[in-house]
């Protein structure tokens, strides 16, 4: 079996090559046995393993079990209801990824990275790790090359329907809840920066378009006691939004409405459109933003929050995330020129752009 983690690296490859050449068989290749780039490629291939390690840690609540201090793999296995030896192997792999520290005698403790997989900490990415390794996402990646070849996502082939139809099915309610939670957790990475940068002067009503549990609009309401907020989302998401508003003591000036942002959105002074447009193609994005443009109160605005693709050839999370959009949806990550084309077609003009954290940017729009 190929060592996709690269741990056995190029030294093992060299030995294997020498043994092969001893038989008199030769191969034409541009890659030498000691090529240092080979190890780097093996580490990149190990990304699929790393994702599953994170998912398993989260599913078994191992970071939660380690929250109060180091434990042996056997102690963790007893709490997690898992096999002691394979739990040790999982934790050993997690330590190689920097998620756990090994203290000796099969004892491990949580690192700063591993802490983000706990279920009870601000900024937790536990739900994200779970949803990324759950069937809806993972099965779609199996058809990624075909998505590149055909020019569109192959989720229909993988799941029998598109991703959002899949989440709406009753049998997938738990996975849909994970997705909503993951989006809310990710929101925490950018919400603080966006709330700090956005002026709500002259704003009375805010609609969080496709806002899931409403983390963004609720944070804005906490910062401005005069705001009334609303979430518009699919039926499976709105109960979570109502519950979150009640937990924060904001139900008296908050509402959640089940609806379709392609058809109609409620009137408002300000629309929050956070990490929505990257799920859809240009024509669909124009339709969403036109719905907002048609309903916006006079003098109103929209705030779009998305990754923005930067300079070609430089390390760029947005460019990599764009591959996930291709695998899962018919959407894409965009650069500023591509965003402006969509905004103009929908009757908006970008007036301000600023970073809000986590690699995301806020783009304020005014109606034209």
């Amino acid at each position: 079996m190929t060592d996709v983690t690269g741990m056995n690296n190029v030294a093992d490859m060299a030995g294997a090559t020498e043994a092969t050449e001893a038989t008199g068989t030769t191969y034409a290749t541009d890659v030498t046995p000691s090529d240092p780039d080979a190890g780097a490629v093996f580490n990149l291939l190990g990304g699929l393993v790393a994702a599953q390690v994170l998912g398993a840690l989260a599913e078994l609540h191992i970071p939660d079990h380690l929250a109060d201090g180091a434990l042996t793999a056997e102690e963790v296995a007893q709490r997690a209801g898992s096999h002691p030896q394979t739990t040790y192997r999982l934790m050993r792999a997690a330590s190689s990824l920097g998620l756990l520290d090994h203290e000796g005698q099969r004892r491990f403790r949580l690192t700063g990275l591993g802490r983000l997989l706990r279920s009870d900490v601000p900024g937790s990415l536990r739900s994200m790790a779970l949803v990324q390794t759950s069937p809806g996402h993972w099965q779609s990646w199996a058809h990624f090359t075909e998505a590149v070849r055909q020019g569109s996502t192959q989720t229909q082939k993988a799941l029998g329907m598109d991703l959002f139809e899949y989440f709406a099915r009753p049998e997938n309610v738990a996975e849909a809840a994970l997705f909503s939670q993951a989006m809310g957790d990710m929101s925490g990475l950018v919400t603080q920066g966006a709330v700090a940068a956005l002026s709500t002067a002259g704003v009375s009503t805010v609609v969080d378009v496709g806002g899931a549990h409403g983390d963004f609009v609720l944070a804005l309401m906490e910062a401005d006691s005069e705001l009334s907020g609303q979430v518009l989302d699919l039926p499976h998401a709105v109960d979570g939004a109502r519950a979150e508003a009640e937990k924060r003591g904001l139900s008296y000036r908050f509402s959640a409405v089940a609806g379709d942002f392609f058809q109609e959105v409620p009137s408002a002074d300000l629309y929050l459109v956070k990490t929505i447009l990257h799920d859809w193609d240009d024509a669909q994005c124009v339709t969403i933003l036109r719905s907002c443009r048609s309903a916006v109160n006079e003098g109103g605005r929209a705030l779009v929050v998305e990754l923005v693709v930067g300079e070609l050839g430089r390390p760029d999370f947005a460019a990599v995330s764009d591959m996930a959009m291709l695998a899962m949806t018919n959407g894409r990550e965009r650069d500023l020129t591509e965003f402006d084309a969509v905004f103009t077609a929908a009757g908006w003009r970008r007036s301000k752009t600023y970073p809000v954290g986590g690699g995301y940017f806020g783009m304020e729009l005014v109606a034209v």
Side-chain angles (χ1 to χ4, degrees):
M1 179 177 178
T2 302
D3 174 25
V4 296
T5 66
M7 294 300 180
N8 290 342
N9 66 44
V10 293
D12 292 336
M13 294 168 60
T17 302
E18 290 168 0
T20 301
E21 289 176 348
T23 67
T25 304
T26 58
Y27 297 92
T29 177
D30 293 330
V31 180
T32 64
S34 59
D35 191 335
D37 290 341
V41 171
F42 271 109
N43 284 329
L44 290 173
L45 289 169
L48 68 93
V49 179
Q52 288 292 348
V53 167
L54 267 68
L57 288 174
E59 180 73 25
L60 295 170
H61 288 276
I62 289 176
D64 292 330
H65 298 318
L66 295 174
D68 294 328
L71 295 172
T72 66
E74 288 70 24
E75 290 169 329
V76 169
Q78 185 175 20
R79 299 184 185 193
S82 55
H83 189 281
Q85 182 59 17
T86 49
T87 300
Y88 168 72
R89 291 166 61 188
L90 172 65
M91 296 174 74
R92 179 177 64 187
S95 70
S96 78
L97 295 171
L99 300 163
L100 303 178
D101 271 344
H102 183 232
E103 295 188 342
Q105 303 301 311
R106 298 168 72 93
R107 290 177 64 83
F108 296 85
R109 68 174 178 85
L110 208 55
T111 66
L113 287 179
R115 178 186 60 82
L116 293 176
L117 296 178
R118 286 178 55 188
S119 56
D120 57 352
V121 297
S124 171
L125 295 175
R126 179 178 183 271
S127 295
M128 182 65 73
L130 289 171
V131 79
Q132 291 291 337
T133 53
S134 291
H137 279 65
W138 201 254
Q139 291 180 36
S140 297
W141 275 111
H143 302 276
F144 178 67
T145 302
E146 190 63 18
V148 176
R149 183 176 287 118
Q150 298 295 331
S152 62
T153 181
Q154 298 296 298
T155 51
Q156 189 73 35
K157 179 181 292 186
L159 306 175
M161 63 199 79
D162 73 33
L163 187 64
F164 297 105
E165 289 177 311
Y166 174 85
F167 284 145
R169 291 289 183 93
E171 63 268 27
N172 299 321
V173 62
E175 197 172 342
L178 271 178
F179 180 77
S180 291
Q181 183 62 51
M183 294 303 99
D185 291 344
M186 189 175 69
S187 178
L189 297 175
V190 302
T191 294
Q192 184 176 359
V195 169
L198 178 66
S199 170
T200 55
V203 175
S204 297
T205 55
V206 184
V207 171
D208 200 342
V209 179
H213 290 174
D215 298 85
F216 194 4
V217 67
L218 291 170
L220 208 58
M221 292 166 64
E222 287 172 333
D224 186 340
S225 61
E226 300 300 314
L227 291 181
S228 294
Q230 186 174 84
V231 160
L232 172 74
D233 212 320
L234 297 174
H236 70 262
V238 293
D239 286 343
R242 294 185 185 114
E244 184 64 24
E246 183 173 359
K247 184 172 72 175
R248 300 191 192 198
L250 294 171
S251 296
Y252 68 100
R253 52 190 174 105
F254 175 82
S255 61
V257 177
D260 182 352
F261 50 49
F262 288 109
Q263 300 297 323
E264 185 179 14
V265 300
S267 61
D269 300 320
L270 175 65
Y271 293 100
L272 307 178
V273 189
K274 183 181 66 60
T275 59
I276 297 297
L277 300 185
H278 72 165
D279 288 330
W280 307 101
D281 65 27
D282 287 353
Q284 291 167 314
C285 289
V286 169
T287 299
I288 294 167
L289 292 174
R290 278 181 179 163
S291 294
C292 298
R293 177 65 182 85
S294 296
V296 68
N297 294 333
E298 185 175 356
R301 293 173 289 152
L303 175 68
V304 172
V305 177
E306 293 281 359
L307 294 171
V308 177
V309 176
E311 184 179 344
L312 187 65
R314 296 178 63 86
D316 187 357
F317 176 67
V320 176
S321 177
D322 187 40
M323 298 297 92
M325 295 302 102
L326 175 58
M328 308 298 161
T329 73
N330 277 323
R332 58 186 298 183
E333 307 294 0
R334 296 172 172 87
D335 61 28
L336 284 176
T337 299
E338 292 165 332
F339 274 119
D340 284 341
V342 169
F343 299 154
T344 298
W348 297 94
R349 176 176 58 82
R350 178 167 57 93
S351 60
K352 295 181 183 178
T353 304
Y354 40 79
V356 294
Y360 287 81
F361 287 81
M363 294 171 278
E364 289 190 30
L365 312 182
V366 294
V368 294

